[in-house]
Amino acid sequence: MPRSPSPSRRKQPRQQRAQATCDAILTAAARLLVRDGYEATSTNRIAEEAGVSIGSLYQYYPNKEGLVLAVLEQHGSRWLTEFDAGLKELAQAPLSVAVPSIIHHILALKRLHPQLDSLRYALLPVLRPLGHVDTFEQQLFRLVRAFLAARLDEIRPRELDMAVFIIVHTLEALCHAAGVDRPDYLTNDAFPEELCVLVLGYLGPPPARLGHPPRKAAAPRRKYEQ
Amino acid sequence: MPRSPSPSRRKQPRQQRAQATCDAILTAAARLLVRDGYEATSTNRIAEEAGVSIGSLYQYYPNKEGLVLAVLEQHGSRWLTEFDAGLKELAQAPLSVAVPSIIHHILALKRLHPQLDSLRYALLPVLRPLGHVDTFEQQLFRLVRAFLAARLDEIRPRELDMAVFIIVHTLEALCHAAGVDRPDYLTNDAFPEELCVLVLGYLGPPPARLGHPPRKAAAPRRKYEQ
Amino acid sequence: MPRSPSPSRRKQPRQQRAQATCDAILTAAARLLVRDGYEATSTNRIAEEAGVSIGSLYQYYPNKEGLVLAVLEQHGSRWLTEFDAGLKELAQAPLSVAVPSIIHHILALKRLHPQLDSLRYALLPVLRPLGHVDTFEQQLFRLVRAFLAARLDEIRPRELDMAVFIIVHTLEALCHAAGVDRPDYLTNDAFPEELCVLVLGYLGPPPARLGHPPRKAAAPRRKYEQ
Amino acid sequence: MPRSPSPSRRKQPRQQRAQATCDAILTAAARLLVRDGYEATSTNRIAEEAGVSIGSLYQYYPNKEGLVLAVLEQHGSRWLTEFDAGLKELAQAPLSVAVPSIIHHILALKRLHPQLDSLRYALLPVLRPLGHVDTFEQQLFRLVRAFLAARLDEIRPRELDMAVFIIVHTLEALCHAAGVDRPDYLTNDAFPEELCVLVLGYLGPPPARLGHPPRKAAAPRRKYEQ
DNA sequence: CATGAATGAGCCTTCATTCAT
DNA sequence: AATGAATGAAGGCTCATTCAT
C-alpha cells in the first residue's frame, strides 16, 4: 500500500517533472485561496491556474482539504522556521529587548506574506476539524512556552500555559486585524510600541521576592510608558 | 416605497402566524450555522429544520446572506444592549473597578450564548463583504471609545483609536479562543484575572504630571498581581 | 356554478370597487408584460404593482395565462374597433385612396401603443396554444377579407384567403419590425409610401378583361412610384 | 487565453468522445426547443434527452442561453451558407428569373427544417438581448443588399436599406406564418407565385428614364399576373 | 370581498471526484 | 505520469397557486 497516512499527500513525486507539477499546484492553490477564499476556490480552477489537468491534481493530493492543508503546511512551516530562528537569536536577550524584537519580527513576517498569513487565520474555522492548524498552533505554543520558561525569573505569570495562550492569541489576533482593518498600523511605529507595552505590561515584573526589589525588570517599561 | 433597502429582510410579517414563522427560521438558522458553519448550512436544510417550506424562508429573507445577517443582527444587537447597560452602570467607577467588572460581564455573556457568540467571529471573513459585522464592530468601538474618553486622566495611551482597537480585538480574540480551545478558562478565576492584568497593564497609569506620582492609579493593580 | 367558461375571466366584478381592482390589475399586468416579457412577469409582482393582494388577482383571473389573455383581449378589441371604424369610413373609396389611408391608420395605432401592440406579436408563440390570438387574427382576417371582397373588380388576386393572409401578415410583420428595429420608420414619410407600393403592387390591377385595358386602376400607382 | 469570449461555447472538445457528447446535446436541445419553446425547456431535461449528465452539458456550454445560441448559430450558419450559394448561382440572372428562384429556394429550406427555422423566429424576442440573432439578420441583410445593389437599374426603390428591410421581413414573416398556420401553402404552387408578385411588384420597374419605357422589366410580370 | 401566509416542484448551475485513455 | 471527459448530488432561489383568516 503506497498510500501514506498523511491527509495532505497522496503520492510522493519521484521525477523532477512531477515535483514541478506539485509546486505549480501548490502555488496556484495559494494564489486562488488568498484571492477567493476556501469555498469559492474549486479544485478544477486550481488545476487550470496551475496549467495542469485535474487528474494530475488528484494524483498528488487526496482531496481539496488535503491540498489546502499542504498549502498551509508549507507556509506554516516556513513561518515557524523563520520565527524559531528569530527566537534563537534572542535566547540570551532580556525580555525588554527580546519582546520588541519579536514583535518587530512578527510584523515583518506579516508584511511579507500578508494574505497567506491571513489565510491560515481565516481557514481556522473551516479546517479545525482536520487537525492541521493544531499542529501549527501547537508548535507555536511550544516555542513560545520554551521562550518564557527560560525567563521565569523575569516574568510575573506563574501559569505558563495560560500566559502563552494569552500572548499568542493576542498577537495573532492583533496582527491579523491590523492587516485586515488597519493596514497603516503595520507600517507604523506607534503600533508595535503599543504591542510591546501590552505584552511587557502583562508579563510584568516577577513577583517581588523578599529583599529583592525587581528594579531591573521594571526599568524597561519606562521606555514605553512615557 | 415597498422595497426596503435592508439586505437582511424582504418583507415584514403582518400576521402573528408569520412572525412565528420568521422566528422559527431564525432559530433553526442559528442552530445549524453554529453546528455546521456557513457554507455547510443550506437554506433548504434550514427551512426543513424550521418546519416551514423553502418558499416561506425566501418570503422573509432575500437570500442566504440576508438570513445569516438577520441571525447575527439579532444576536449582535442583544449583546450590545446588554454590554451597553453594563457599561452605563460603571460610568462612575474607577478603571480598577470597571475593567474587572467589564471583563467579568463579557465572559458571562460568552458563557450565555457560547456558540452564537463564536458564530459572529467565525463569519467575519465570510460576511465582511456584506457590511454587517462592521456595524457591530463599529458600535462596539464607539462604546469602548466613549468609555475610555471619559477616563483620559486615568490612562496612558494618547491615541485613543489605537487603544480601542487593541483592547477590543484582544478581548474578542481571547474570549473566542477560550470558548473554542479552552472552555475551562471560561469558568475559571485565573483567566479573568489575567485578562485584567493584560488590559490594566496596557492602559497603564496616566503619564506622570509634574510632581504628582500616579500612585493611586497604580495601587489597584496589586489586587491582580499577587 | 358561477364560473364562466372563458379562459380569461373567473368571476365578474359586481361592485364598483371590484371593477377598479380588476382594472388596476389589468393595467399593472400590461405595464409589466411590456417591460419584462411574459416569462419574466410574475403574478405576485403584478399584484404588488397593482397595489392589490395576490389573492384578489386570482379571484378575478383563473391563472397567469388567463390574465395575459385578458390584457390582450382588451387591447385587441380596442384595436379592432378602431380599425373597423377606419375601414367603414373608407367603404366607398377606391383602393388607391383606401390603402394609403389604412396604412396610415395602422401606423398611427402602432405609434399610439407601440409596446402593447408588440406584446401581442411577441406573445404569439407563447399563447397560441390558448387560442386567444386566433380570435384577434380571425377577426382581422374577416374584416380585411370583407374589405377586399367588396373590391373584387379592382384587384388581381382571385384566391381571396391567400391574399388576405399575405397582406395581413406582411403589414403586421413590417409594422412590428419597424417598431423594434427602426423606430424612425414609424415617423417617416417614405416608409408608409413604400408599404403602399408593396400592397397596391400586390393587389395590382384586375385581370384585363377583353378590350378593357385596366388603365384607371394602374394610374394611381404613379403617386407612389415617383 | 484559456477563456473564449464566445457566449455560446465554454470549452472545445479535444477527444472524439467529447465531440459526440456536444453533438448529442445540440441535437437534443434543438428537438426540445422546437417542441416546448425556450422557457419550457430545461437544461436538465436537455441533458437527459441527450443521454448525458447535466455536468457534461455545462462543461461545453456556459449556460442555457449559450446552448440555445449554439443551436441557432449552427442552424443559422447552415441556412445562410445555402442561401448564399443559391444567390451566387443567380448572380447573372435578371430579376424576373432570380426572384422566383430565390423564393422557391427559401420555401425549400423552410420545408427542410420547418421547426428549426421557426425556432429562430420564435426566439427573436427572447434572445435579442443576447445579440445572436442580430448576427444572422445582419448577414441576411448584407446578402440581400448586395444582391439588390447589383441590380439598381432593374429596380424602382432608391432607398436600398428600406427596400431590404421590407423584403426580408416580409418574406420571413410570410414563410413563418405559412409554416405555422397554413402548411399547405408551403407545398402549393400558388403561394410562391403570389410571393413573386408581391416582391416583383414592390421592386417594380426602375424609374422611367427619358424616352426609355421600361418594357423589358415589366414583361416578366405577366407570367405571374395571368 | 380581500388579505397575505404558505407551499413545493422545479429551475439553473457548480464542483469535488473518478476513470478510461 | 498525465489527460480531460464524465458524473450527479446538491445548492440557492423563483413563482404560480391555494386557503385560512
Side-chain angles (χ1 to χ4, degrees), chain C residues 41-86:
Chain C
T41 301
S42 79
T43 52
N44 281 290
R45 187 77 186 75
I46 290 172
E48 187 187 340
E49 179 92 358
V52 160
S53 81
I54 181 66
S56 293
L57 187 156
Y58 277 91
Q59 202 135 47
Y60 294 107
Y61 302 95
N63 51 36
K64 187 182 178 182
E65 293 172 348
L67 171 52
V68 175
L69 241 49
V71 170
L72 295 187
E73 252 166 29
Q74 191 187 43
H75 179 256
S77 69
R78 286 180 187 167
W79 196 97
L80 283 173
T81 302
E82 290 203 50
F83 183 72
D84 190 28

Short mmCIF file of all heavy atoms in Angstrom, two decimals, chain C residues 41-86:
data_model
loop_
_atom_site.label_atom_id
_atom_site.label_comp_id
_atom_site.label_asym_id
_atom_site.label_seq_id
_atom_site.Cartn_x
_atom_site.Cartn_y
_atom_site.Cartn_z
N THR C 41 -42.48 38.10 -16.07
CA THR C 41 -43.51 38.80 -15.30
C THR C 41 -44.23 37.79 -14.39
O THR C 41 -44.82 36.83 -14.88
CB THR C 41 -44.53 39.44 -16.24
OG1 THR C 41 -43.86 40.36 -17.11
CG2 THR C 41 -45.59 40.18 -15.46
N SER C 42 -44.17 38.01 -13.11
CA SER C 42 -44.81 37.06 -12.19
C SER C 42 -46.13 37.63 -11.69
O SER C 42 -46.32 38.84 -11.60
CB SER C 42 -43.89 36.78 -11.01
OG SER C 42 -43.94 37.82 -10.09
N THR C 43 -47.03 36.73 -11.39
CA THR C 43 -48.33 37.19 -10.92
C THR C 43 -48.20 37.93 -9.59
O THR C 43 -48.92 38.90 -9.34
CB THR C 43 -49.30 36.01 -10.75
OG1 THR C 43 -48.68 35.01 -9.95
CG2 THR C 43 -49.65 35.41 -12.09
N ASN C 44 -47.29 37.49 -8.75
CA ASN C 44 -47.09 38.20 -7.49
C ASN C 44 -46.66 39.64 -7.74
O ASN C 44 -47.13 40.57 -7.10
CB ASN C 44 -46.04 37.49 -6.64
CG ASN C 44 -46.60 36.27 -5.93
OD1 ASN C 44 -47.39 36.41 -5.02
ND2 ASN C 44 -46.25 35.09 -6.38
N ARG C 45 -45.77 39.78 -8.69
CA ARG C 45 -45.28 41.13 -9.00
C ARG C 45 -46.39 41.99 -9.57
O ARG C 45 -46.49 43.19 -9.28
CB ARG C 45 -44.12 40.99 -10.00
CG ARG C 45 -43.39 42.25 -10.31
CD ARG C 45 -42.43 42.64 -9.21
NE ARG C 45 -41.84 43.95 -9.49
CZ ARG C 45 -42.48 45.11 -9.35
NH1 ARG C 45 -43.70 45.10 -8.89
NH2 ARG C 45 -41.90 46.25 -9.64
N ILE C 46 -47.25 41.39 -10.38
CA ILE C 46 -48.36 42.14 -10.95
C ILE C 46 -49.28 42.63 -9.83
O ILE C 46 -49.67 43.80 -9.79
CB ILE C 46 -49.16 41.27 -11.94
CG1 ILE C 46 -48.34 41.01 -13.20
CG2 ILE C 46 -50.48 41.94 -12.32
CD1 ILE C 46 -48.96 40.00 -14.15
N ALA C 47 -49.59 41.73 -8.90
CA ALA C 47 -50.46 42.12 -7.80
C ALA C 47 -49.83 43.26 -7.01
O ALA C 47 -50.51 44.26 -6.67
CB ALA C 47 -50.72 40.93 -6.89
N GLU C 48 -48.55 43.15 -6.74
CA GLU C 48 -47.87 44.19 -5.98
C GLU C 48 -47.95 45.52 -6.72
O GLU C 48 -48.31 46.54 -6.15
CB GLU C 48 -46.41 43.77 -5.79
CG GLU C 48 -45.62 44.67 -4.86
CD GLU C 48 -44.14 44.30 -4.87
OE1 GLU C 48 -43.81 43.15 -5.26
OE2 GLU C 48 -43.32 45.14 -4.51
N GLU C 49 -47.63 45.47 -8.01
CA GLU C 49 -47.66 46.69 -8.83
C GLU C 49 -49.06 47.29 -8.88
O GLU C 49 -49.22 48.51 -8.93
CB GLU C 49 -47.19 46.35 -10.26
CG GLU C 49 -47.18 47.52 -11.21
CD GLU C 49 -45.84 48.22 -11.23
OE1 GLU C 49 -44.94 47.81 -10.47
OE2 GLU C 49 -45.69 49.18 -12.00
N ALA C 50 -50.06 46.41 -8.82
CA ALA C 50 -51.44 46.90 -8.88
C ALA C 50 -51.91 47.38 -7.50
O ALA C 50 -53.01 47.91 -7.37
CB ALA C 50 -52.37 45.81 -9.39
N GLY C 51 -51.10 47.15 -6.49
CA GLY C 51 -51.49 47.55 -5.15
C GLY C 51 -52.60 46.69 -4.59
O GLY C 51 -53.46 47.15 -3.83
N VAL C 52 -52.56 45.43 -4.96
CA VAL C 52 -53.64 44.51 -4.63
C VAL C 52 -52.99 43.23 -4.12
O VAL C 52 -51.85 42.94 -4.42
CB VAL C 52 -54.46 44.25 -5.92
CG1 VAL C 52 -55.26 42.99 -5.80
CG2 VAL C 52 -55.34 45.44 -6.24
N SER C 53 -53.71 42.46 -3.34
CA SER C 53 -53.12 41.23 -2.85
C SER C 53 -53.21 40.15 -3.92
O SER C 53 -54.07 40.19 -4.81
CB SER C 53 -53.84 40.75 -1.61
OG SER C 53 -55.01 40.08 -1.96
N ILE C 54 -52.29 39.20 -3.81
CA ILE C 54 -52.26 38.15 -4.82
C ILE C 54 -53.57 37.36 -4.82
O ILE C 54 -54.03 36.91 -5.88
CB ILE C 54 -51.05 37.23 -4.59
CG1 ILE C 54 -50.98 36.14 -5.64
CG2 ILE C 54 -51.09 36.58 -3.21
CD1 ILE C 54 -50.70 36.67 -7.02
N GLY C 55 -54.16 37.26 -3.65
CA GLY C 55 -55.45 36.57 -3.58
C GLY C 55 -56.51 37.24 -4.44
O GLY C 55 -57.29 36.57 -5.12
N SER C 56 -56.52 38.55 -4.43
CA SER C 56 -57.52 39.27 -5.23
C SER C 56 -57.31 39.00 -6.71
O SER C 56 -58.27 38.85 -7.47
CB SER C 56 -57.41 40.76 -4.95
OG SER C 56 -57.79 41.03 -3.64
N LEU C 57 -56.06 38.96 -7.09
CA LEU C 57 -55.79 38.71 -8.51
C LEU C 57 -56.43 37.39 -8.94
O LEU C 57 -57.10 37.32 -9.97
CB LEU C 57 -54.28 38.68 -8.73
CG LEU C 57 -53.78 38.61 -10.16
CD1 LEU C 57 -52.38 39.18 -10.25
CD2 LEU C 57 -53.76 37.19 -10.68
N TYR C 58 -56.23 36.36 -8.13
CA TYR C 58 -56.76 35.05 -8.50
C TYR C 58 -58.28 34.95 -8.29
O TYR C 58 -58.87 33.95 -8.61
CB TYR C 58 -56.02 33.96 -7.75
CG TYR C 58 -54.73 33.60 -8.43
CD1 TYR C 58 -53.54 34.24 -8.09
CD2 TYR C 58 -54.69 32.65 -9.44
CE1 TYR C 58 -52.36 33.94 -8.73
CE2 TYR C 58 -53.52 32.34 -10.08
CZ TYR C 58 -52.34 32.99 -9.73
OH TYR C 58 -51.17 32.69 -10.38
N GLN C 59 -58.85 35.99 -7.73
CA GLN C 59 -60.30 35.98 -7.60
C GLN C 59 -60.95 36.36 -8.94
O GLN C 59 -62.06 35.95 -9.24
CB GLN C 59 -60.71 37.00 -6.54
CG GLN C 59 -62.06 36.73 -5.96
CD GLN C 59 -62.00 36.89 -4.46
OE1 GLN C 59 -61.47 37.85 -3.94
NE2 GLN C 59 -62.55 35.93 -3.76
N TYR C 60 -60.19 37.12 -9.73
CA TYR C 60 -60.78 37.59 -10.98
C TYR C 60 -60.21 36.91 -12.21
O TYR C 60 -60.84 36.90 -13.26
CB TYR C 60 -60.61 39.10 -11.10
CG TYR C 60 -61.39 39.82 -10.04
CD1 TYR C 60 -60.76 40.42 -8.96
CD2 TYR C 60 -62.78 39.82 -10.09
CE1 TYR C 60 -61.50 41.05 -7.97
CE2 TYR C 60 -63.51 40.45 -9.10
CZ TYR C 60 -62.87 41.05 -8.04
OH TYR C 60 -63.59 41.66 -7.06
N TYR C 61 -59.02 36.36 -12.08
CA TYR C 61 -58.42 35.71 -13.24
C TYR C 61 -57.99 34.30 -12.83
O TYR C 61 -57.39 34.12 -11.77
CB TYR C 61 -57.23 36.52 -13.74
CG TYR C 61 -57.65 37.93 -14.09
CD1 TYR C 61 -57.51 38.97 -13.19
CD2 TYR C 61 -58.24 38.20 -15.33
CE1 TYR C 61 -57.93 40.25 -13.50
CE2 TYR C 61 -58.65 39.48 -15.65
CZ TYR C 61 -58.50 40.51 -14.73
OH TYR C 61 -58.92 41.77 -15.03
N PRO C 62 -58.27 33.33 -13.66
CA PRO C 62 -58.10 31.95 -13.22
C PRO C 62 -56.63 31.55 -13.10
O PRO C 62 -56.30 30.68 -12.31
CB PRO C 62 -58.78 31.15 -14.32
CG PRO C 62 -58.72 32.02 -15.54
CD PRO C 62 -58.80 33.43 -15.03
N ASN C 63 -55.79 32.18 -13.87
CA ASN C 63 -54.36 31.87 -13.81
C ASN C 63 -53.60 32.89 -14.64
O ASN C 63 -54.20 33.81 -15.20
CB ASN C 63 -54.09 30.45 -14.31
CG ASN C 63 -54.73 30.23 -15.66
OD1 ASN C 63 -54.77 31.13 -16.48
ND2 ASN C 63 -55.25 29.03 -15.87
N LYS C 64 -52.31 32.72 -14.70
CA LYS C 64 -51.50 33.72 -15.38
C LYS C 64 -51.90 33.87 -16.84
O LYS C 64 -52.04 34.98 -17.35
CB LYS C 64 -50.04 33.30 -15.27
CG LYS C 64 -49.07 34.34 -15.80
CD LYS C 64 -47.63 33.83 -15.69
CE LYS C 64 -46.66 34.83 -16.26
NZ LYS C 64 -45.27 34.32 -16.22
N GLU C 65 -52.09 32.75 -17.49
CA GLU C 65 -52.46 32.81 -18.90
C GLU C 65 -53.76 33.58 -19.09
O GLU C 65 -53.90 34.40 -19.99
CB GLU C 65 -52.63 31.40 -19.46
CG GLU C 65 -51.32 30.63 -19.51
CD GLU C 65 -51.56 29.17 -19.89
OE1 GLU C 65 -52.72 28.73 -19.89
OE2 GLU C 65 -50.58 28.49 -20.19
N GLY C 66 -54.72 33.29 -18.22
CA GLY C 66 -56.00 33.98 -18.34
C GLY C 66 -55.83 35.48 -18.19
O GLY C 66 -56.45 36.26 -18.93
N LEU C 67 -54.98 35.87 -17.27
CA LEU C 67 -54.77 37.30 -17.07
C LEU C 67 -54.14 37.93 -18.30
O LEU C 67 -54.58 38.99 -18.77
CB LEU C 67 -53.87 37.49 -15.83
CG LEU C 67 -53.36 38.90 -15.57
CD1 LEU C 67 -54.51 39.90 -15.55
CD2 LEU C 67 -52.61 38.94 -14.25
N VAL C 68 -53.14 37.27 -18.82
CA VAL C 68 -52.48 37.81 -20.01
C VAL C 68 -53.46 37.86 -21.17
O VAL C 68 -53.51 38.84 -21.93
CB VAL C 68 -51.24 36.97 -20.36
CG1 VAL C 68 -50.63 37.46 -21.66
CG2 VAL C 68 -50.23 37.05 -19.24
N LEU C 69 -54.24 36.82 -21.27
CA LEU C 69 -55.26 36.82 -22.31
C LEU C 69 -56.19 38.02 -22.17
O LEU C 69 -56.55 38.67 -23.15
CB LEU C 69 -56.08 35.53 -22.21
CG LEU C 69 -56.04 34.61 -23.41
CD1 LEU C 69 -54.60 34.39 -23.84
CD2 LEU C 69 -56.69 33.29 -23.10
N ALA C 70 -56.58 38.31 -20.95
CA ALA C 70 -57.48 39.45 -20.73
C ALA C 70 -56.82 40.74 -21.16
O ALA C 70 -57.46 41.61 -21.75
CB ALA C 70 -57.87 39.51 -19.26
N VAL C 71 -55.53 40.87 -20.86
CA VAL C 71 -54.82 42.08 -21.30
C VAL C 71 -54.88 42.19 -22.82
O VAL C 71 -55.22 43.25 -23.37
CB VAL C 71 -53.35 42.04 -20.83
CG1 VAL C 71 -52.55 43.15 -21.48
CG2 VAL C 71 -53.26 42.13 -19.32
N LEU C 72 -54.56 41.09 -23.47
CA LEU C 72 -54.53 41.13 -24.93
C LEU C 72 -55.93 41.33 -25.51
O LEU C 72 -56.11 42.03 -26.50
CB LEU C 72 -53.90 39.85 -25.47
CG LEU C 72 -52.44 39.65 -25.11
CD1 LEU C 72 -51.87 38.45 -25.82
CD2 LEU C 72 -51.63 40.89 -25.44
N GLU C 73 -56.89 40.71 -24.89
CA GLU C 73 -58.26 40.85 -25.36
C GLU C 73 -58.67 42.32 -25.33
O GLU C 73 -59.22 42.86 -26.29
CB GLU C 73 -59.23 40.08 -24.45
CG GLU C 73 -59.81 38.83 -25.07
CD GLU C 73 -60.46 37.96 -24.01
OE1 GLU C 73 -60.94 38.51 -23.00
OE2 GLU C 73 -60.45 36.72 -24.17
N GLN C 74 -58.40 42.94 -24.19
CA GLN C 74 -58.78 44.33 -24.05
C GLN C 74 -58.13 45.18 -25.14
O GLN C 74 -58.80 45.92 -25.85
CB GLN C 74 -58.35 44.83 -22.67
CG GLN C 74 -58.94 46.17 -22.32
CD GLN C 74 -58.36 46.70 -21.02
OE1 GLN C 74 -57.15 46.62 -20.79
NE2 GLN C 74 -59.21 47.25 -20.18
N HIS C 75 -56.82 45.02 -25.24
CA HIS C 75 -56.12 45.83 -26.22
C HIS C 75 -56.56 45.45 -27.63
O HIS C 75 -56.79 46.31 -28.48
CB HIS C 75 -54.61 45.63 -26.07
CG HIS C 75 -53.82 46.40 -27.08
ND1 HIS C 75 -53.24 45.81 -28.16
CD2 HIS C 75 -53.56 47.72 -27.18
CE1 HIS C 75 -52.64 46.73 -28.88
NE2 HIS C 75 -52.81 47.90 -28.32
N GLY C 76 -56.68 44.14 -27.87
CA GLY C 76 -57.05 43.68 -29.21
C GLY C 76 -58.41 44.18 -29.63
O GLY C 76 -58.59 44.63 -30.77
N SER C 77 -59.36 44.14 -28.72
CA SER C 77 -60.69 44.54 -29.16
C SER C 77 -60.76 46.04 -29.37
O SER C 77 -61.43 46.52 -30.27
CB SER C 77 -61.74 44.06 -28.15
OG SER C 77 -61.61 44.77 -26.96
N ARG C 78 -60.02 46.79 -28.55
CA ARG C 78 -59.96 48.23 -28.80
C ARG C 78 -59.36 48.51 -30.18
O ARG C 78 -59.84 49.33 -30.94
CB ARG C 78 -59.12 48.93 -27.73
CG ARG C 78 -59.82 49.05 -26.41
CD ARG C 78 -58.91 49.75 -25.39
NE ARG C 78 -59.50 49.74 -24.07
CZ ARG C 78 -58.84 50.06 -22.95
NH1 ARG C 78 -57.56 50.40 -23.03
NH2 ARG C 78 -59.43 50.03 -21.79
N TRP C 79 -58.29 47.78 -30.45
CA TRP C 79 -57.60 47.98 -31.72
C TRP C 79 -58.55 47.67 -32.88
O TRP C 79 -58.70 48.45 -33.82
CB TRP C 79 -56.37 47.06 -31.76
CG TRP C 79 -55.36 47.41 -32.80
CD1 TRP C 79 -54.23 48.14 -32.64
CD2 TRP C 79 -55.40 47.04 -34.19
NE1 TRP C 79 -53.56 48.24 -33.82
CE2 TRP C 79 -54.26 47.58 -34.79
CE3 TRP C 79 -56.30 46.30 -34.96
CZ2 TRP C 79 -53.97 47.41 -36.14
CZ3 TRP C 79 -56.02 46.13 -36.32
CH2 TRP C 79 -54.87 46.68 -36.90
N LEU C 80 -59.21 46.51 -32.76
CA LEU C 80 -60.10 46.10 -33.85
C LEU C 80 -61.24 47.10 -34.03
O LEU C 80 -61.65 47.39 -35.16
CB LEU C 80 -60.66 44.70 -33.57
CG LEU C 80 -59.70 43.56 -33.84
CD1 LEU C 80 -60.28 42.24 -33.36
CD2 LEU C 80 -59.34 43.47 -35.33
N THR C 81 -61.74 47.59 -32.92
CA THR C 81 -62.82 48.56 -33.01
C THR C 81 -62.39 49.79 -33.80
O THR C 81 -63.07 50.24 -34.72
CB THR C 81 -63.25 48.98 -31.59
OG1 THR C 81 -63.66 47.81 -30.88
CG2 THR C 81 -64.41 49.97 -31.66
N GLU C 82 -61.24 50.29 -33.44
CA GLU C 82 -60.76 51.48 -34.14
C GLU C 82 -60.47 51.17 -35.61
O GLU C 82 -60.77 51.98 -36.50
CB GLU C 82 -59.49 51.99 -33.47
CG GLU C 82 -59.73 52.60 -32.10
CD GLU C 82 -58.60 53.56 -31.74
OE1 GLU C 82 -58.27 54.43 -32.57
OE2 GLU C 82 -58.03 53.41 -30.64
N PHE C 83 -59.89 50.00 -35.82
CA PHE C 83 -59.54 49.64 -37.19
C PHE C 83 -60.81 49.49 -38.03
O PHE C 83 -60.89 49.98 -39.16
CB PHE C 83 -58.74 48.33 -37.18
CG PHE C 83 -58.28 47.90 -38.53
CD1 PHE C 83 -57.27 48.59 -39.19
CD2 PHE C 83 -58.85 46.80 -39.16
CE1 PHE C 83 -56.83 48.18 -40.45
CE2 PHE C 83 -58.42 46.39 -40.41
CZ PHE C 83 -57.41 47.08 -41.06
N ASP C 84 -61.78 48.86 -37.45
CA ASP C 84 -63.05 48.66 -38.15
C ASP C 84 -63.69 49.99 -38.49
O ASP C 84 -64.18 50.20 -39.61
CB ASP C 84 -63.99 47.83 -37.25
CG ASP C 84 -65.21 47.38 -38.01
OD1 ASP C 84 -65.12 47.21 -39.24
OD2 ASP C 84 -66.26 47.20 -37.37
N ALA C 85 -63.66 50.89 -37.53
CA ALA C 85 -64.23 52.21 -37.79
C ALA C 85 -63.53 52.86 -38.97
O ALA C 85 -64.16 53.43 -39.87
CB ALA C 85 -64.10 53.08 -36.53
N GLY C 86 -62.20 52.74 -38.97
CA GLY C 86 -61.44 53.31 -40.08
C GLY C 86 -61.86 52.70 -41.41
O GLY C 86 -62.04 53.41 -42.41
#
